[in-house]
Amino acid sequence: MFKFIVRRLLQLIPVLFGVTLLVFLMLHITPGNPAAILAGEGASQETIDNVANRLGLNEPLHMQYIYFVMDAIRLDFGTSWRTGMPVADEIGSRFWVTVELAVYSTILSVFIGIIAGVISAVRRYSFTDVGIMLLALFGLSMPNFWLGLMLMQWFAVQLMWVPASGWGSASQVILPVIALGTAGAAIIARMTRSSMLEVISQDYIRTARAKGTKERVVIYRHALRNALIPVVTVVGLQFGYLLGGAVLTETVFAINGLGRLVVDRIASRDFPVIQASVLIIATLFVFVNFLVDISYRLLNKRIDLD
Amino acid sequence: MANQDEKLVKSEASFMRLRTSPKMRSLKGFYRKLKRNRAALVGGYLIILLMIIATIGPFFLSHGINDVDYTVRLQPPSSEFWLGTDHNGRDIFSRIIYGAQITLIVGFLSVIFGGVAGVVIGIVSGYYGGKIDAVIMRIMDVLLAFPGILLALAIVSILGPSIINVIYAVAIYSVPSFARIVRGSTLATKELEYVDASRALGASDFRLIFKHILPNVTSPLIVQATLSIATAILTASGLSFLGLGAQPPSPEWGAMLNDGRGYMYDSGYIALFPGLAIVLAVLAFNLFGDGIRDALDPKTK
């Protein structure tokens, strides 16, 4: 196991190298000279040169990359081109809002997804099963921003049960979390169902039934445990997609998260903020996937990932 | 964007089973199997319907997409304006019909671009193996490290907001999943005896790839492409909703949602119908993709 963890950690290196390189290059492959963008329109060549010097854009590219990574490790992302504030300060609290949103949504989608998937599988081909699967299909075909708008329309505007925007109190959290978590719930429900069905058809389940074990015990102790193993991988991926999808939900509900910050700054081409946000989310996702791999391995001792 | 991960997980297991059996090579056999799958049929008909609406629908409309008329702004659905009017007095129904074109074009083009690139990368990786394979797959891992819409967002922030750049962004975003699936199928096919035999007879790499490898990856490819279109539509409309894709006054559905958002409090239908259109389009491709996956999977009968 230890060897496996070390090997997986070593595998992270090329991925993180690639991720940082891509994010670093964002600034350099963008059409137009970055220093000219920052200097603003109509700036003289001298101003542009000064800006380029100040940003270190005249250094060789590989040195710039090394500085970029060294700074990023110390969470120093420079200053925002728009506000002039340190990027780390701008991102700080917003990052946690986005993580909170993604975590709550993941919990919701796992909870609902697994329950719905198990019910569907146990009552295969019944009216309930068909109903749940149809709902799931709708759930994953729905844009989360539209679902958010609709929820807001009904529960915040018409019924006035909850506030329409913001983040913090439980009543503010509930709609965004439903909007963001629904597609995940649908995916997890489908995964759980097919995984359960596969497990239920196996010999050891038949044996358990044959020796007279109660159906409840068969389902929950024997089948579900094994059926959930593949679901674990989806949960990790799901968390990542929710981090990405949070961009849309945050925009709908005017939540001051990282996603909304990025969207806001794309128009003004505030590259330090965009780069830092993208880098942070991608890195977080890489580590979540690493943890998922480890837990997958712990849960399933039969597979040999070596 | 969300069902992308489901596809990835499934790609490991069920996609591997999807190698085209000889029987399925005939289009007739495929159609016969497809006909028995109700989901696929419904999805297929919906897609055809969408295409018909997108191509000839605009000829039957009495309102133009940009017929601004402030005397009829924010009207609820009526016999004159089937789905009501927006804040500029434009007919929402007409705009949605025109928007179908944009949605389908963006969906198809981005998946074609991404798919072609993914297939080439996947075949090269799987067929040649070794170092090339290792490097290519690490690059794909890097692309996959940007979750969901984030990669598309990053690309648009580099290229600048426009619907064309959204097509590129979504195309790049869909490359890794194609590459992985095709690589897997290529690896599996490469070792088959008849491919070996053909190689022994002196067939060139080019011939082996086109004659033997490519036909064997078609089934998983069709499934992946269909499901990718669903994802592409979701991602593209999301970017337009954020104001990073199609720009007003374009009747792109996501852009319409963004446009009408401020008037939603009094006129709920403004945000309702463009969203329903997105759901319908995505649903059609998801149904069809799911259906053909089941129809092509030898495990399900």
Side-chain angles (χ1 to χ4, degrees):
Chain A
M1 187 65 207
F2 180 71
K3 257 175 79 184
F4 170 73
I5 293 177
V6 172
R7 198 192 342 262
R8 260 317 259 108
L9 269 173
L10 288 176
Q11 280 175 1
L12 291 184
I13 295 171
V15 173
L16 286 175
F17 168 71
V19 168
T20 47
L21 189 66
L22 264 188
V23 172
F24 165 74
L25 285 176
M26 274 176 78
L27 180 63
H28 297 270
I29 51 184
T30 191
N33 177 354
I37 297 172
L38 178 57
E41 260 174 75
S44 68
Q45 190 55 45
E46 204 188 338
T47 324
I48 295 174
D49 289 343
N50 279 337
V51 171
N53 261 330
R54 186 158 53 82
L55 294 179
L57 291 170
N58 295 330
E59 304 252 354
L61 208 56
H62 63 274
M63 287 313 290
Q64 288 189 42
Y65 171 71
I66 291 171
Y67 293 143
F68 176 78
V69 173
M70 303 275 274
D71 287 345
I73 290 170
R74 287 183 283 120
L75 295 178
D76 173 9
F77 298 102
T79 53
S80 158
W81 288 6
R82 192 166 109 188
T83 62
M85 276 170 46
V87 174
D89 291 353
E90 292 222 54
I91 288 176
S93 58
R94 290 192 172 99
F95 170 72
W96 293 110
V97 170
T98 300
V99 170
E100 252 186 306
L101 176 59
V103 168
Y104 294 157
S105 304
T106 308
I107 293 171
L108 179 87
S109 50
V110 169
F111 189 70
I112 293 184
I114 289 178
I115 292 176
V118 170
I119 293 174
S120 238
V122 173
R123 304 192 184 168
R124 190 183 188 179
Y125 298 140
S126 71
F127 184 72
T128 327
D129 174 31
V130 175
I132 290 177
M133 283 304 113
L134 268 178
L135 267 180
L137 195 65
F138 266 97
L140 60 86
S141 301
M142 232 187 280
N144 71 41
F145 53 95
W146 180 69
L147 180 60
L149 287 176
M150 292 297 109
L151 290 171
M152 196 170 170
Q153 172 89 13
W154 292 326
F155 296 107
V157 178
Q158 309 270 323
L159 298 169
M160 296 206 276
W161 286 355
V162 288
S165 60
W167 185 257
S169 69
S171 61
Q172 283 175 320
V173 166
I174 188 155
L175 293 187
V177 166
I178 295 174
L180 188 55
T182 297
I187 288 165
I188 292 176
R190 284 161 56 122
M191 276 291 295
T192 309
R193 177 179 183 272
S194 65
S195 172
M196 270 298 269
L197 288 178
E198 203 149 328
V199 171
I200 285 176
S201 70
Q202 271 169 19
D203 287 343
Y204 70 88
I205 296 295
R206 196 158 8 126
T207 311
R209 279 185 179 145
K211 70 175 190 185
T213 317
K214 279 195 199 115
E215 186 64 18
R216 275 181 68 95
V217 179
V218 173
I219 295 296
Y220 292 102
R221 189 165 308 158
H222 297 271
L224 186 59
R225 262 197 198 176
N226 288 300
L228 286 185
I229 295 170
V231 177
V232 172
T233 33
V234 192
V235 174
L237 284 169
Q238 203 51 52
F239 177 73
Y241 285 103
L242 294 184
L243 277 176
V247 173
L248 293 154
T249 316
E250 285 170 9
T251 305
V252 170
F253 290 97
I255 298 168
N256 254 328
L258 206 52
R260 190 154 163 251
L261 182 72
V262 175
V263 173
D264 271 357
R265 299 299 168 85
I266 285 178
S268 53
R269 318 199 78 182
D270 190 351
F271 274 101
V273 171
I274 300 170
Q275 284 177 302
S277 311
V278 171
L279 183 63
I280 288 173
I281 292 180
T283 311
L284 181 63
F285 184 43
V286 168
F287 278 101
V288 168
N289 273 334
F290 165 73
L291 291 179
V292 166
D293 269 6
I294 305 273
S295 56
Y296 188 68
R297 163 89 170 200
L298 281 175
L299 283 171
N300 195 352
K301 298 199 175 67
R302 284 169 305 177
I303 51 152
D304 205 351
L305 288 172
D306 289 57
Chain B
M1 61 226 85
N3 58 354
Q4 189 81 7
D5 46 340
E6 186 188 33
K7 273 175 287 184
L8 284 179
V9 170
K10 288 206 167 157
S11 72
E12 311 298 337
S14 95
F15 269 114
M16 293 304 123
R17 274 187 262 117
L18 287 187
R19 272 184 293 116
T20 325
S21 64
K23 227 166 128 195
M24 304 294 300
R25 292 250 176 96
S26 71
L27 214 62
K28 229 168 135 192
F30 174 67
Y31 183 67
R32 205 176 307 130
K33 272 208 140 181
L34 201 61
K35 244 177 30 185
R36 262 183 279 153
N37 188 309
R38 210 175 297 160
L41 268 192
V42 174
Y45 286 138
L46 273 175
I47 293 172
I48 293 170
L49 184 72
L50 271 171
M51 289 182 177
I52 293 174
I53 289 176
T55 42
I56 62 170
F59 294 114
F60 295 94
L61 297 172
S62 45
H63 301 275
I65 38 168
N66 287 318
D67 288 357
V68 173
D69 181 355
Y70 290 109
T71 59
V72 290
R73 60 193 299 263
L74 301 175
Q75 301 248 325
S78 64
S79 57
E80 163 86 17
F81 304 106
W82 290 1
L83 302 180
T85 59
D86 67 7
H87 54 288
N88 287 321
R90 295 174 295 190
D91 181 39
I92 293 179
F93 179 73
S94 309
R95 288 175 64 76
I96 288 180
I97 300 290
Y98 273 100
Q101 280 180 357
I102 306 176
T103 301
L104 288 183
I105 291 174
V106 171
F108 278 109
L109 276 187
S110 54
V111 170
I112 289 171
F113 291 164
V116 169
V119 169
V120 172
I121 292 173
I123 286 186
V124 168
S125 203
Y127 188 81
Y128 293 104
K131 274 192 185 133
I132 302 176
D133 180 37
V135 171
I136 290 180
M137 282 302 121
R138 284 297 86 74
I139 296 174
M140 295 300 118
D141 284 350
V142 169
L143 289 181
L144 287 170
F146 298 91
I149 201 171
L150 192 72
L151 182 64
L153 205 67
I155 296 167
V156 169
S157 72
I158 297 169
L159 300 175
S162 86
I163 191 76
I164 304 292
N165 291 343
V166 165
I167 295 178
Y168 295 142
V170 177
I172 295 172
Y173 163 72
S174 56
V175 168
S177 36
F178 277 104
R180 278 193 164 186
I181 287 157
V182 171
R183 173 181 174 266
S185 302
T186 308
L187 280 176
T189 314
K190 190 167 79 164
E191 306 302 329
L192 295 179
E193 265 174 46
Y194 73 91
V195 180
D196 252 0
S198 184
R199 189 181 295 126
L201 286 171
S204 64
D205 283 358
F206 191 77
R207 186 184 157 83
L208 283 176
I209 287 172
F210 276 88
K211 253 336 245 188
H212 300 304
I213 312 264
L214 214 49
N216 271 304
V217 299
T218 23
S219 298
L221 210 58
I222 294 169
V223 175
Q224 174 66 20
T226 316
L227 294 174
S228 288
I229 293 177
T231 314
I233 293 174
L234 279 176
T235 313
S237 64
L239 289 170
S240 290
F241 175 74
L242 294 173
L244 302 173
Q247 302 293 325
S250 163
E252 202 277 342
W253 296 337
M256 282 175 75
L257 281 175
N258 187 30
D259 223 18
R261 191 145 60 102
Y263 304 90
M264 206 182 72
Y265 294 99
D266 307 309
S267 320
Y269 55 85
I270 284 190
L272 177 66
F273 297 117
L276 279 179
I278 300 175
V279 176
L280 196 72
V282 177
L283 192 69
F285 285 99
N286 273 337
L287 268 174
F288 191 61
D290 275 2
I292 50 179
R293 177 171 49 210
D294 291 346
L296 291 170
D297 190 342
K299 246 186 147 182
T300 53
K301 274 174 233 106

